[in-house]
Amino acid sequence: MTVTKQIKEIAKGIYDSILKKKQPNLESPLRALSNVKYDDKLGYFELIGKKKSRTLTVGTVKTFAQTLRMMTLSKDLVDKDDIATKREAYYVSKNWGEARFTTQPESDTVMDDVEAMLMVNREQMGFIPEEKGGDVAGKLIVVDKDSDTGKQIKIDCTKMGSGAYSIPSSVEELKFETNAKFILAIETAGMFQRLVKHNYWKKADCILISMGGVPTRACRRFIRRLSDAKKLPVYVFTDSDPYGFGSIYRTLKVGSGNAAHINKYFCVPSAKFIGITPQDIVDYKLPTHPLKDVDIKKIKDLLKNDPFIQHHKEWQNALKQMAQMKVRAEQQALAKWGLNFVISDYLPKKLKNEKSWLP
Amino acid sequence: MTVTKQIKEIAKGIYDSILKKKQPNLESPLRALSNVKYDDKLGYFELIGKKKSRTLTVGTVKTFAQTLRMMTLSKDLVDKDDIATKREAYYVSKNWGEARFTTQPESDTVMDDVEAMLMVNREQMGFIPEEKGGDVAGKLIVVDKDSDTGKQIKIDCTKMGSGAYSIPSSVEELKFETNAKFILAIETAGMFQRLVKHNYWKKADCILISMGGVPTRACRRFIRRLSDAKKLPVYVFTDSDPYGFGSIYRTLKVGSGNAAHINKYFCVPSAKFIGITPQDIVDYKLPTHPLKDVDIKKIKDLLKNDPFIQHHKEWQNALKQMAQMKVRAEQQALAKWGLNFVISDYLPKKLKNEKSWLP
């Protein structure tokens, strides 16, 4: 069912309630960690079904009106093929009279409620993130369309020179053509630039994606849609530190706790971590930095509270190993063995040796 | 003179000194605010000629050796058409025996010294920034080359769909083809995405560049080279706040104090600020946020210490007006008048009315 159709049905339900002189009611899933579970087969944090209900009363009248207004805005966006950021949606409300929002967090919460109510992601509702997605280079043609003419546009990511294709804020409509063998998702822009400069994607027959730290929604959704559509394995290459493991990789692979109603769109359950692992620091004698207090705290947190880490013995061992070694290492540390050691040795060896990966 | 040639000459000078049993000496400009001036005709902070000299002694032997090693690395990069980030250069030094760096700040300082010594920017020395540049869409063809074959690659920024061309870390070798009338540099990714979605560049005959906050070196250099090569005016569109004025716009236009030896490469003296000005907040009755303490402090700082602001009465008045109004506004606040008011009204009116700009 399309978003527009869903919105129309909910609106009709409310309209009918009013005609029947019954109190109108809106229902959406409870968005909290207490309402999620981790299922290895699904591969992401999933809602377990607790709901919250908002009945129209004197106390809820403003939020109720705002929710309906937000649904109207979403319907308009989808009907007109337009977009709005969360911030723009907040400002649009300034013309809603008494239903206008006073601060953006209020408007964000209502948007999240509607998103959860419709069980879609807000990009499908016409709302786009403030921030951009990642960068792409390599064996991929992105099929997009001209928004004026509707004519197909093919963007060849092998023909970007030293630059790259920048992923748009919303990727729902994109299609893909590729005969690459895998996707390599890279933490830092510097490492991405090295692999692009040396056309690594030609040698390895792959698609390179620069995440630039924790991947944005658009970047995660792009990788997910691309890997689903073309049945491509996704390999992730980050610094060897708790942030690379627990924030970048974990978020890409299974999603996050406070956005569980949309994880199924934004996670990449098939992703594998190819490095840099704590064992790589030993095996490649990499230059290191001492763990900071915040790193040690993050390791403890992950071991104690993260359902994904708790599910994987291998990750627990890796984190414990790092805690014992008391050091972390950056992707660029491989440059100790020569600037292009990563291309000539590290990546080819890693990709061949599945045993050296983490799940 | 090429970088390689310069390095060879300096090396020869040192070699000759040694043969003559004289103490070898390296000279570079003093990098500090006390060694810069602002000249309106030049349009950027410029060095006034104070130098520091490093003579080879027992005390300087390690830094001296590191400086020569860094010059060698740079020469290798240029000769082999390779690149290295600052971080990679640091790790490469781990194989320099006793001349290796202990921390990256040490290695960064030596790189900055060499950059100042050669009076080039470090991209010309083969060193690239960690972070990526901005995003581009609109009437521009970027001419790059395939690094394997050397064959020309033309990247048409009108054919990126809802995505964009992502500027590489180093833009020194790029060439341009365009018949656009101007460059519009935009602060936020969200606003950029709106203008791209609605093909604003078609209607306005322009090139859109998303800076994503304070523009990176690569982004500034890209805008500078493009506007120089094609004699294009540059209009800058940011939030109406001291950060937009004093950090984003000021840095793009005249550079920064602590990098004065390279400002001439990275500033865009011809840039004009088209909004959002404090007067726009009044004229367009925009929704605002109260100034934070840090905003008020920044306004005072700019008025008191910034040579660029001190040079322009208009900017002083604008900052004083904002201080009196006690509010700031975001680009997206224009959405109060409709999501596409920025396209249908604000930008066309602004671009026609030069008097509403700031210098």
Side-chain angles (χ1 to χ4, degrees), chain A residues 159-164 193 196-197, chain B residues 81 141-147 150-155 165-168 170-177:
Chain A
K159 302 242 166 73
M160 293 289 161
S162 54
Q193 191 73 67
V196 168
K197 172 83 181 178
Chain B
D81 185 28
I141 289 171
V142 177
V143 184
D144 199 345
K145 60 179 181 10
D146 184 295
S147 61
K151 253 181 72 180
Q152 217 177 50
I153 295 179
K154 289 195 176 187
I155 303 141
Y165 166 71
S166 175
I167 299 172
S170 174
V171 304
E172 299 302 323
E173 307 296 328
L174 301 181
K175 293 191 178 66
F176 307 105
E177 295 173 6

PDB file of all heavy atoms in Angstrom, chain A residues 159-164 193 196-197, chain B residues 81 141-147 150-155 165-168 170-177:
ATOM      1  N   LYS A 159      33.296   6.542 -14.288  1.00  0.00           N
ATOM      2  CA  LYS A 159      33.749   7.690 -15.085  1.00  0.00           C
ATOM      3  C   LYS A 159      33.769   8.970 -14.264  1.00  0.00           C
ATOM      4  O   LYS A 159      33.361  10.030 -14.738  1.00  0.00           O
ATOM      5  CB  LYS A 159      32.808   7.865 -16.289  1.00  0.00           C
ATOM      6  CG  LYS A 159      32.728   6.633 -17.198  1.00  0.00           C
ATOM      7  CD  LYS A 159      33.219   6.934 -18.594  1.00  0.00           C
ATOM      8  CE  LYS A 159      33.473   5.678 -19.415  1.00  0.00           C
ATOM      9  NZ  LYS A 159      32.229   5.021 -19.840  1.00  0.00           N
ATOM     10  N   MET A 160      34.218   8.868 -13.014  1.00  0.00           N
ATOM     11  CA  MET A 160      34.229  10.032 -12.124  1.00  0.00           C
ATOM     12  C   MET A 160      35.646  10.558 -11.902  1.00  0.00           C
ATOM     13  O   MET A 160      35.854  11.461 -11.094  1.00  0.00           O
ATOM     14  CB  MET A 160      33.597   9.661 -10.781  1.00  0.00           C
ATOM     15  CG  MET A 160      32.110   9.344 -10.860  1.00  0.00           C
ATOM     16  SD  MET A 160      31.144  10.848 -11.159  1.00  0.00           S
ATOM     17  CE  MET A 160      29.615  10.136 -11.775  1.00  0.00           C
ATOM     18  N   GLY A 161      36.637   9.969 -12.592  1.00  0.00           N
ATOM     19  CA  GLY A 161      38.018  10.425 -12.426  1.00  0.00           C
ATOM     20  C   GLY A 161      38.460  10.291 -10.980  1.00  0.00           C
ATOM     21  O   GLY A 161      38.202   9.272 -10.339  1.00  0.00           O
ATOM     22  N   SER A 162      39.107  11.339 -10.472  1.00  0.00           N
ATOM     23  CA  SER A 162      39.533  11.310  -9.070  1.00  0.00           C
ATOM     24  C   SER A 162      38.388  11.684  -8.131  1.00  0.00           C
ATOM     25  O   SER A 162      38.508  11.570  -6.913  1.00  0.00           O
ATOM     26  CB  SER A 162      40.710  12.259  -8.853  1.00  0.00           C
ATOM     27  OG  SER A 162      40.394  13.555  -9.322  1.00  0.00           O
ATOM     28  N   GLY A 163      37.263  12.152  -8.685  1.00  0.00           N
ATOM     29  CA  GLY A 163      36.092  12.499  -7.881  1.00  0.00           C
ATOM     30  C   GLY A 163      35.214  11.288  -7.641  1.00  0.00           C
ATOM     31  O   GLY A 163      35.658  10.140  -7.757  1.00  0.00           O
ATOM     32  N   ALA A 164      33.953  11.533  -7.307  1.00  0.00           N
ATOM     33  CA  ALA A 164      33.046  10.438  -6.999  1.00  0.00           C
ATOM     34  C   ALA A 164      31.603  10.873  -7.227  1.00  0.00           C
ATOM     35  O   ALA A 164      31.332  12.053  -7.451  1.00  0.00           O
ATOM     36  CB  ALA A 164      33.235   9.988  -5.555  1.00  0.00           C
ATOM     37  N   GLN A 193      39.940   7.919  -1.019  1.00  0.00           N
ATOM     38  CA  GLN A 193      40.623   8.660  -2.082  1.00  0.00           C
ATOM     39  C   GLN A 193      41.822   7.877  -2.615  1.00  0.00           C
ATOM     40  O   GLN A 193      42.077   7.860  -3.813  1.00  0.00           O
ATOM     41  CB  GLN A 193      41.058  10.025  -1.556  1.00  0.00           C
ATOM     42  CG  GLN A 193      41.548  10.974  -2.637  1.00  0.00           C
ATOM     43  CD  GLN A 193      40.428  11.517  -3.514  1.00  0.00           C
ATOM     44  OE1 GLN A 193      39.584  12.275  -3.072  1.00  0.00           O
ATOM     45  NE2 GLN A 193      40.405  11.123  -4.785  1.00  0.00           N
ATOM     46  N   VAL A 196      40.485   5.113  -4.826  1.00  0.00           N
ATOM     47  CA  VAL A 196      39.973   5.690  -6.075  1.00  0.00           C
ATOM     48  C   VAL A 196      41.129   6.094  -6.984  1.00  0.00           C
ATOM     49  O   VAL A 196      41.152   5.784  -8.171  1.00  0.00           O
ATOM     50  CB  VAL A 196      39.074   6.917  -5.792  1.00  0.00           C
ATOM     51  CG1 VAL A 196      38.775   7.684  -7.072  1.00  0.00           C
ATOM     52  CG2 VAL A 196      37.775   6.481  -5.120  1.00  0.00           C
ATOM     53  N   LYS A 197      42.106   6.793  -6.392  1.00  0.00           N
ATOM     54  CA  LYS A 197      43.265   7.284  -7.151  1.00  0.00           C
ATOM     55  C   LYS A 197      43.943   6.148  -7.905  1.00  0.00           C
ATOM     56  O   LYS A 197      44.404   6.310  -9.024  1.00  0.00           O
ATOM     57  CB  LYS A 197      44.253   7.925  -6.168  1.00  0.00           C
ATOM     58  CG  LYS A 197      45.601   8.318  -6.742  1.00  0.00           C
ATOM     59  CD  LYS A 197      45.549   9.670  -7.415  1.00  0.00           C
ATOM     60  CE  LYS A 197      46.899  10.049  -7.999  1.00  0.00           C
ATOM     61  NZ  LYS A 197      46.835  11.334  -8.690  1.00  0.00           N
TER      62      LYS A 197
ATOM     63  N   ASP B  81      53.123  10.539  -9.294  1.00  0.00           N
ATOM     64  CA  ASP B  81      51.706  10.917  -9.361  1.00  0.00           C
ATOM     65  C   ASP B  81      50.884  10.158  -8.316  1.00  0.00           C
ATOM     66  O   ASP B  81      49.822   9.630  -8.589  1.00  0.00           O
ATOM     67  CB  ASP B  81      51.148  10.674 -10.781  1.00  0.00           C
ATOM     68  CG  ASP B  81      49.714  11.179 -10.925  1.00  0.00           C
ATOM     69  OD1 ASP B  81      49.345  12.121 -10.204  1.00  0.00           O
ATOM     70  OD2 ASP B  81      48.949  10.602 -11.731  1.00  0.00           O
ATOM     71  N   ILE B 141      31.066  20.986 -16.793  1.00  0.00           N
ATOM     72  CA  ILE B 141      31.739  19.737 -17.123  1.00  0.00           C
ATOM     73  C   ILE B 141      33.122  19.791 -16.501  1.00  0.00           C
ATOM     74  O   ILE B 141      33.891  20.717 -16.761  1.00  0.00           O
ATOM     75  CB  ILE B 141      31.825  19.531 -18.649  1.00  0.00           C
ATOM     76  CG1 ILE B 141      30.426  19.228 -19.190  1.00  0.00           C
ATOM     77  CG2 ILE B 141      32.782  18.400 -18.998  1.00  0.00           C
ATOM     78  CD1 ILE B 141      30.342  19.215 -20.699  1.00  0.00           C
ATOM     79  N   VAL B 142      33.417  18.823 -15.638  1.00  0.00           N
ATOM     80  CA  VAL B 142      34.738  18.728 -15.026  1.00  0.00           C
ATOM     81  C   VAL B 142      35.590  17.820 -15.907  1.00  0.00           C
ATOM     82  O   VAL B 142      35.159  16.726 -16.267  1.00  0.00           O
ATOM     83  CB  VAL B 142      34.651  18.146 -13.601  1.00  0.00           C
ATOM     84  CG1 VAL B 142      36.039  17.990 -12.998  1.00  0.00           C
ATOM     85  CG2 VAL B 142      33.768  19.016 -12.718  1.00  0.00           C
ATOM     86  N   VAL B 143      36.780  18.295 -16.261  1.00  0.00           N
ATOM     87  CA  VAL B 143      37.672  17.491 -17.092  1.00  0.00           C
ATOM     88  C   VAL B 143      38.784  16.937 -16.221  1.00  0.00           C
ATOM     89  O   VAL B 143      39.604  17.672 -15.679  1.00  0.00           O
ATOM     90  CB  VAL B 143      38.259  18.323 -18.256  1.00  0.00           C
ATOM     91  CG1 VAL B 143      39.101  17.436 -19.166  1.00  0.00           C
ATOM     92  CG2 VAL B 143      37.154  19.010 -19.037  1.00  0.00           C
ATOM     93  N   ASP B 144      38.775  15.615 -16.060  1.00  0.00           N
ATOM     94  CA  ASP B 144      39.732  14.919 -15.208  1.00  0.00           C
ATOM     95  C   ASP B 144      40.442  13.895 -16.083  1.00  0.00           C
ATOM     96  O   ASP B 144      40.228  13.858 -17.296  1.00  0.00           O
ATOM     97  CB  ASP B 144      38.954  14.244 -14.055  1.00  0.00           C
ATOM     98  CG  ASP B 144      39.844  13.881 -12.870  1.00  0.00           C
ATOM     99  OD1 ASP B 144      41.077  13.873 -13.025  1.00  0.00           O
ATOM    100  OD2 ASP B 144      39.285  13.593 -11.792  1.00  0.00           O
ATOM    101  N   LYS B 145      41.315  13.085 -15.490  1.00  0.00           N
ATOM    102  CA  LYS B 145      41.898  12.028 -16.311  1.00  0.00           C
ATOM    103  C   LYS B 145      41.910  10.707 -15.542  1.00  0.00           C
ATOM    104  O   LYS B 145      41.923  10.685 -14.309  1.00  0.00           O
ATOM    105  CB  LYS B 145      43.291  12.396 -16.794  1.00  0.00           C
ATOM    106  CG  LYS B 145      44.327  12.650 -15.714  1.00  0.00           C
ATOM    107  CD  LYS B 145      45.654  12.976 -16.401  1.00  0.00           C
ATOM    108  CE  LYS B 145      46.831  13.234 -15.506  1.00  0.00           C
ATOM    109  NZ  LYS B 145      46.851  13.003 -14.116  1.00  0.00           N
ATOM    110  N   ASP B 146      41.910   9.607 -16.307  1.00  0.00           N
ATOM    111  CA  ASP B 146      42.029   8.278 -15.717  1.00  0.00           C
ATOM    112  C   ASP B 146      43.470   8.100 -15.256  1.00  0.00           C
ATOM    113  O   ASP B 146      44.401   8.295 -16.042  1.00  0.00           O
ATOM    114  CB  ASP B 146      41.673   7.223 -16.768  1.00  0.00           C
ATOM    115  CG  ASP B 146      41.671   5.826 -16.185  1.00  0.00           C
ATOM    116  OD1 ASP B 146      42.748   5.336 -15.764  1.00  0.00           O
ATOM    117  OD2 ASP B 146      40.602   5.207 -16.147  1.00  0.00           O
ATOM    118  N   SER B 147      43.681   7.733 -13.987  1.00  0.00           N
ATOM    119  CA  SER B 147      45.046   7.721 -13.469  1.00  0.00           C
ATOM    120  C   SER B 147      45.853   6.537 -14.009  1.00  0.00           C
ATOM    121  O   SER B 147      47.074   6.560 -13.947  1.00  0.00           O
ATOM    122  CB  SER B 147      45.053   7.737 -11.942  1.00  0.00           C
ATOM    123  OG  SER B 147      44.393   6.603 -11.443  1.00  0.00           O
ATOM    124  N   GLY B 150      45.761   7.754 -18.285  1.00  0.00           N
ATOM    125  CA  GLY B 150      45.998   9.159 -18.604  1.00  0.00           C
ATOM    126  C   GLY B 150      44.951   9.738 -19.538  1.00  0.00           C
ATOM    127  O   GLY B 150      45.011  10.904 -19.913  1.00  0.00           O
ATOM    128  N   LYS B 151      43.980   8.906 -19.927  1.00  0.00           N
ATOM    129  CA  LYS B 151      42.950   9.372 -20.854  1.00  0.00           C
ATOM    130  C   LYS B 151      42.004  10.366 -20.187  1.00  0.00           C
ATOM    131  O   LYS B 151      41.663  10.224 -19.017  1.00  0.00           O
ATOM    132  CB  LYS B 151      42.120   8.175 -21.352  1.00  0.00           C
ATOM    133  CG  LYS B 151      42.409   7.801 -22.798  1.00  0.00           C
ATOM    134  CD  LYS B 151      41.552   6.631 -23.271  1.00  0.00           C
ATOM    135  CE  LYS B 151      40.095   6.969 -23.482  1.00  0.00           C
ATOM    136  NZ  LYS B 151      39.320   5.781 -23.931  1.00  0.00           N
ATOM    137  N   GLN B 152      41.587  11.380 -20.976  1.00  0.00           N
ATOM    138  CA  GLN B 152      40.689  12.394 -20.454  1.00  0.00           C
ATOM    139  C   GLN B 152      39.322  11.804 -20.077  1.00  0.00           C
ATOM    140  O   GLN B 152      38.792  10.962 -20.789  1.00  0.00           O
ATOM    141  CB  GLN B 152      40.491  13.447 -21.541  1.00  0.00           C
ATOM    142  CG  GLN B 152      40.383  14.843 -21.015  1.00  0.00           C
ATOM    143  CD  GLN B 152      40.250  15.855 -22.137  1.00  0.00           C
ATOM    144  OE1 GLN B 152      39.422  15.706 -23.027  1.00  0.00           O
ATOM    145  NE2 GLN B 152      41.065  16.888 -22.078  1.00  0.00           N
ATOM    146  N   ILE B 153      38.770  12.278 -18.948  1.00  0.00           N
ATOM    147  CA  ILE B 153      37.421  11.892 -18.548  1.00  0.00           C
ATOM    148  C   ILE B 153      36.619  13.167 -18.370  1.00  0.00           C
ATOM    149  O   ILE B 153      37.062  14.086 -17.683  1.00  0.00           O
ATOM    150  CB  ILE B 153      37.443  11.132 -17.208  1.00  0.00           C
ATOM    151  CG1 ILE B 153      38.179   9.811 -17.342  1.00  0.00           C
ATOM    152  CG2 ILE B 153      36.027  10.888 -16.707  1.00  0.00           C
ATOM    153  CD1 ILE B 153      38.247   9.022 -16.039  1.00  0.00           C
ATOM    154  N   LYS B 154      35.461  13.252 -19.016  1.00  0.00           N
ATOM    155  CA  LYS B 154      34.611  14.421 -18.846  1.00  0.00           C
ATOM    156  C   LYS B 154      33.418  14.059 -17.978  1.00  0.00           C
ATOM    157  O   LYS B 154      32.693  13.116 -18.273  1.00  0.00           O
ATOM    158  CB  LYS B 154      34.134  14.930 -20.205  1.00  0.00           C
ATOM    159  CG  LYS B 154      35.254  15.570 -21.016  1.00  0.00           C
ATOM    160  CD  LYS B 154      34.722  16.381 -22.183  1.00  0.00           C
ATOM    161  CE  LYS B 154      35.887  17.067 -22.885  1.00  0.00           C
ATOM    162  NZ  LYS B 154      35.429  18.004 -23.919  1.00  0.00           N
ATOM    163  N   ILE B 155      33.228  14.819 -16.903  1.00  0.00           N
ATOM    164  CA  ILE B 155      32.139  14.544 -15.974  1.00  0.00           C
ATOM    165  C   ILE B 155      31.111  15.662 -16.075  1.00  0.00           C
ATOM    166  O   ILE B 155      31.410  16.817 -15.771  1.00  0.00           O
ATOM    167  CB  ILE B 155      32.685  14.439 -14.535  1.00  0.00           C
ATOM    168  CG1 ILE B 155      33.759  13.348 -14.471  1.00  0.00           C
ATOM    169  CG2 ILE B 155      31.555  14.146 -13.550  1.00  0.00           C
ATOM    170  CD1 ILE B 155      34.927  13.685 -13.603  1.00  0.00           C
ATOM    171  N   TYR B 165      28.145  15.533  -8.123  1.00  0.00           N
ATOM    172  CA  TYR B 165      29.558  15.203  -8.302  1.00  0.00           C
ATOM    173  C   TYR B 165      30.284  15.567  -7.016  1.00  0.00           C
ATOM    174  O   TYR B 165      30.152  16.687  -6.530  1.00  0.00           O
ATOM    175  CB  TYR B 165      30.113  16.004  -9.481  1.00  0.00           C
ATOM    176  CG  TYR B 165      31.625  16.022  -9.576  1.00  0.00           C
ATOM    177  CD1 TYR B 165      32.343  14.889  -9.950  1.00  0.00           C
ATOM    178  CD2 TYR B 165      32.347  17.184  -9.291  1.00  0.00           C
ATOM    179  CE1 TYR B 165      33.729  14.910 -10.033  1.00  0.00           C
ATOM    180  CE2 TYR B 165      33.736  17.218  -9.381  1.00  0.00           C
ATOM    181  CZ  TYR B 165      34.423  16.080  -9.755  1.00  0.00           C
ATOM    182  OH  TYR B 165      35.802  16.100  -9.829  1.00  0.00           O
ATOM    183  N   SER B 166      31.007  14.617  -6.473  1.00  0.00           N
ATOM    184  CA  SER B 166      31.718  14.855  -5.228  1.00  0.00           C
ATOM    185  C   SER B 166      33.157  15.281  -5.530  1.00  0.00           C
ATOM    186  O   SER B 166      33.895  14.556  -6.198  1.00  0.00           O
ATOM    187  CB  SER B 166      31.691  13.573  -4.399  1.00  0.00           C
ATOM    188  OG  SER B 166      32.465  13.726  -3.243  1.00  0.00           O
ATOM    189  N   ILE B 167      33.527  16.473  -5.065  1.00  0.00           N
ATOM    190  CA  ILE B 167      34.850  17.040  -5.343  1.00  0.00           C
ATOM    191  C   ILE B 167      35.932  16.186  -4.689  1.00  0.00           C
ATOM    192  O   ILE B 167      35.827  15.846  -3.520  1.00  0.00           O
ATOM    193  CB  ILE B 167      34.927  18.485  -4.790  1.00  0.00           C
ATOM    194  CG1 ILE B 167      33.880  19.377  -5.472  1.00  0.00           C
ATOM    195  CG2 ILE B 167      36.326  19.077  -4.964  1.00  0.00           C
ATOM    196  CD1 ILE B 167      33.756  20.771  -4.863  1.00  0.00           C
ATOM    197  N   PRO B 168      36.989  15.819  -5.449  1.00  0.00           N
ATOM    198  CA  PRO B 168      38.044  14.997  -4.846  1.00  0.00           C
ATOM    199  C   PRO B 168      38.889  15.803  -3.847  1.00  0.00           C
ATOM    200  O   PRO B 168      38.770  17.024  -3.763  1.00  0.00           O
ATOM    201  CB  PRO B 168      38.891  14.578  -6.044  1.00  0.00           C
ATOM    202  CG  PRO B 168      38.647  15.610  -7.085  1.00  0.00           C
ATOM    203  CD  PRO B 168      37.251  16.106  -6.863  1.00  0.00           C
ATOM    204  N   SER B 170      42.040  16.449  -3.890  1.00  0.00           N
ATOM    205  CA  SER B 170      42.954  17.371  -4.566  1.00  0.00           C
ATOM    206  C   SER B 170      42.393  17.734  -5.929  1.00  0.00           C
ATOM    207  O   SER B 170      41.983  16.861  -6.698  1.00  0.00           O
ATOM    208  CB  SER B 170      44.333  16.737  -4.706  1.00  0.00           C
ATOM    209  OG  SER B 170      45.156  17.588  -5.476  1.00  0.00           O
ATOM    210  N   VAL B 171      42.373  19.028  -6.231  1.00  0.00           N
ATOM    211  CA  VAL B 171      41.697  19.483  -7.455  1.00  0.00           C
ATOM    212  C   VAL B 171      42.660  20.201  -8.390  1.00  0.00           C
ATOM    213  O   VAL B 171      42.252  20.816  -9.380  1.00  0.00           O
ATOM    214  CB  VAL B 171      40.520  20.428  -7.114  1.00  0.00           C
ATOM    215  CG1 VAL B 171      39.539  19.742  -6.168  1.00  0.00           C
ATOM    216  CG2 VAL B 171      41.001  21.727  -6.494  1.00  0.00           C
ATOM    217  N   GLU B 172      43.971  20.110  -8.096  1.00  0.00           N
ATOM    218  CA  GLU B 172      44.965  20.877  -8.846  1.00  0.00           C
ATOM    219  C   GLU B 172      44.955  20.584 -10.340  1.00  0.00           C
ATOM    220  O   GLU B 172      45.232  21.458 -11.147  1.00  0.00           O
ATOM    221  CB  GLU B 172      46.373  20.627  -8.287  1.00  0.00           C
ATOM    222  CG  GLU B 172      46.584  21.029  -6.832  1.00  0.00           C
ATOM    223  CD  GLU B 172      46.287  22.501  -6.576  1.00  0.00           C
ATOM    224  OE1 GLU B 172      46.593  23.321  -7.455  1.00  0.00           O
ATOM    225  OE2 GLU B 172      45.711  22.819  -5.519  1.00  0.00           O
ATOM    226  N   GLU B 173      44.636  19.333 -10.700  1.00  0.00           N
ATOM    227  CA  GLU B 173      44.764  18.929 -12.102  1.00  0.00           C
ATOM    228  C   GLU B 173      43.475  19.068 -12.896  1.00  0.00           C
ATOM    229  O   GLU B 173      43.450  18.802 -14.092  1.00  0.00           O
ATOM    230  CB  GLU B 173      45.232  17.467 -12.174  1.00  0.00           C
ATOM    231  CG  GLU B 173      46.495  17.150 -11.383  1.00  0.00           C
ATOM    232  CD  GLU B 173      47.701  17.906 -11.931  1.00  0.00           C
ATOM    233  OE1 GLU B 173      47.725  18.139 -13.159  1.00  0.00           O
ATOM    234  OE2 GLU B 173      48.588  18.287 -11.131  1.00  0.00           O
ATOM    235  N   LEU B 174      42.391  19.453 -12.244  1.00  0.00           N
ATOM    236  CA  LEU B 174      41.100  19.494 -12.932  1.00  0.00           C
ATOM    237  C   LEU B 174      41.027  20.667 -13.913  1.00  0.00           C
ATOM    238  O   LEU B 174      41.602  21.721 -13.680  1.00  0.00           O
ATOM    239  CB  LEU B 174      39.955  19.606 -11.920  1.00  0.00           C
ATOM    240  CG  LEU B 174      39.841  18.482 -10.891  1.00  0.00           C
ATOM    241  CD1 LEU B 174      38.650  18.728  -9.973  1.00  0.00           C
ATOM    242  CD2 LEU B 174      39.733  17.120 -11.563  1.00  0.00           C
ATOM    243  N   LYS B 175      40.288  20.449 -15.001  1.00  0.00           N
ATOM    244  CA  LYS B 175      39.963  21.537 -15.934  1.00  0.00           C
ATOM    245  C   LYS B 175      38.443  21.632 -16.029  1.00  0.00           C
ATOM    246  O   LYS B 175      37.724  20.733 -15.604  1.00  0.00           O
ATOM    247  CB  LYS B 175      40.598  21.279 -17.294  1.00  0.00           C
ATOM    248  CG  LYS B 175      42.114  21.359 -17.258  1.00  0.00           C
ATOM    249  CD  LYS B 175      42.711  21.356 -18.658  1.00  0.00           C
ATOM    250  CE  LYS B 175      44.220  21.489 -18.592  1.00  0.00           C
ATOM    251  NZ  LYS B 175      44.847  20.289 -17.958  1.00  0.00           N
ATOM    252  N   PHE B 176      37.974  22.740 -16.601  1.00  0.00           N
ATOM    253  CA  PHE B 176      36.539  23.003 -16.563  1.00  0.00           C
ATOM    254  C   PHE B 176      35.994  23.451 -17.914  1.00  0.00           C
ATOM    255  O   PHE B 176      36.668  24.160 -18.660  1.00  0.00           O
ATOM    256  CB  PHE B 176      36.235  24.088 -15.529  1.00  0.00           C
ATOM    257  CG  PHE B 176      36.809  23.806 -14.173  1.00  0.00           C
ATOM    258  CD1 PHE B 176      37.929  24.500 -13.717  1.00  0.00           C
ATOM    259  CD2 PHE B 176      36.257  22.828 -13.356  1.00  0.00           C
ATOM    260  CE1 PHE B 176      38.474  24.232 -12.474  1.00  0.00           C
ATOM    261  CE2 PHE B 176      36.800  22.549 -12.116  1.00  0.00           C
ATOM    262  CZ  PHE B 176      37.917  23.261 -11.670  1.00  0.00           C
ATOM    263  N   GLU B 177      34.765  23.062 -18.211  1.00  0.00           N
ATOM    264  CA  GLU B 177      34.016  23.595 -19.345  1.00  0.00           C
ATOM    265  C   GLU B 177      32.648  24.023 -18.829  1.00  0.00           C
ATOM    266  O   GLU B 177      31.961  23.246 -18.168  1.00  0.00           O
ATOM    267  CB  GLU B 177      33.834  22.525 -20.433  1.00  0.00           C
ATOM    268  CG  GLU B 177      35.142  22.085 -21.063  1.00  0.00           C
ATOM    269  CD  GLU B 177      34.965  20.912 -22.028  1.00  0.00           C
ATOM    270  OE1 GLU B 177      33.807  20.506 -22.295  1.00  0.00           O
ATOM    271  OE2 GLU B 177      35.997  20.390 -22.491  1.00  0.00           O
TER     272      GLU B 177
END
